[in-house]
Amino acid sequence: MLSRKEHDCEAIALPEEWTKKVETLLNEVYQSNCKEVGKVFEVYGSTYPSEFVFITSLINPENDRITPVTYFISKDLDPSTKPEKMLDDLVDSIGAFYDIYFSTPDWSDFQAEWLETEFKGHKFFYKISRENVALHLAADKLLKLQ
């Protein structure tokens, strides 16, 4: 499960058009850094009635055995949430994280537990792992077929 909370319903994926737009943006902004480490960004997002989950994963597209760096965001949703502003600000928080990651040569500050933080007035939770999200989603799909 990729979400922070337990849910009784299936996640609704964010529109692919939006996740691809963010993926393209990250790959353009960090192009020289990505080239240097031989990795690219993948972006995933979904919503539940009470939670928004957004994930960026810096992966090696040639070899899934090379450990990715994956940044998870979980934000509680309520009726007053303004989705466009929230999404823009959370994308900015992703940039803030990867700015630190790429500027620290031996970065290894993985945080597998959800931590609460605030960025641009939005309280949200984050975790940083080595999880390969694409493999996780493929495994979930296989388990649902059984």
Side-chain angles (χ1 to χ4, degrees):
M1 177 167 78
L2 299 173
S3 64
R4 174 177 53 91
K5 297 178 171 185
E6 294 287 331
H7 297 281
D8 295 332
C9 60
E10 291 287 320
I12 299 170
L14 290 180
E16 186 175 345
E17 174 185 313
W18 194 83
T19 56
K20 289 296 179 194
K21 180 180 173 184
V22 174
E23 191 173 283
T24 299
L25 174 69
L26 290 171
N27 282 310
E28 286 175 358
V29 168
Y30 296 104
Q31 183 176 15
S32 61
N33 301 99
C34 289
K35 186 175 182 179
E36 188 176 310
V37 296
K39 294 184 177 182
V40 297
F41 285 97
E42 290 182 340
V43 175
Y44 306 90
S46 57
T47 62
Y48 296 90
S50 65
E51 181 186 16
F52 169 77
V53 179
F54 195 64
I55 305 164
T56 57
S57 198
L58 186 61
I59 61 129
N60 181 306
E62 306 298 322
N63 185 349
D64 61 9
R65 291 183 180 168
I66 294 176
T67 307
V69 174
T70 304
Y71 181 72
F72 291 78
I73 293 174
S74 169
K75 170 97 171 86
D76 292 333
L77 295 177
D78 60 52
S80 68
T81 301
K82 295 180 178 157
E84 287 185 28
K85 172 78 171 126
M86 177 194 71
L87 293 173
D88 288 345
D89 290 345
L90 292 179
V91 168
D92 289 347
S93 81
I94 293 165
F97 165 70
Y98 284 106
D99 285 348
I100 293 167
Y101 172 78
F102 284 121
S103 69
T104 309
D106 294 325
W107 186 94
S108 65
D109 195 16
F110 292 98
Q111 181 59 41
E113 294 182 26
W114 290 103
L115 297 176
E116 187 173 11
T117 193
E118 187 171 332
F119 187 84
K120 291 189 173 184
H122 298 280
K123 288 185 181 181
F124 65 94
F125 294 83
Y126 74 96
K127 70 178 181 174
I128 307 162
S129 78
R130 296 175 177 232
E131 188 169 348
N132 187 320
V133 176
L135 291 178
H136 183 104
L137 293 173
D140 281 353
K141 188 181 281 188
L142 284 173
L143 290 172
K144 287 179 186 176
L145 294 175
Q146 295 180 3

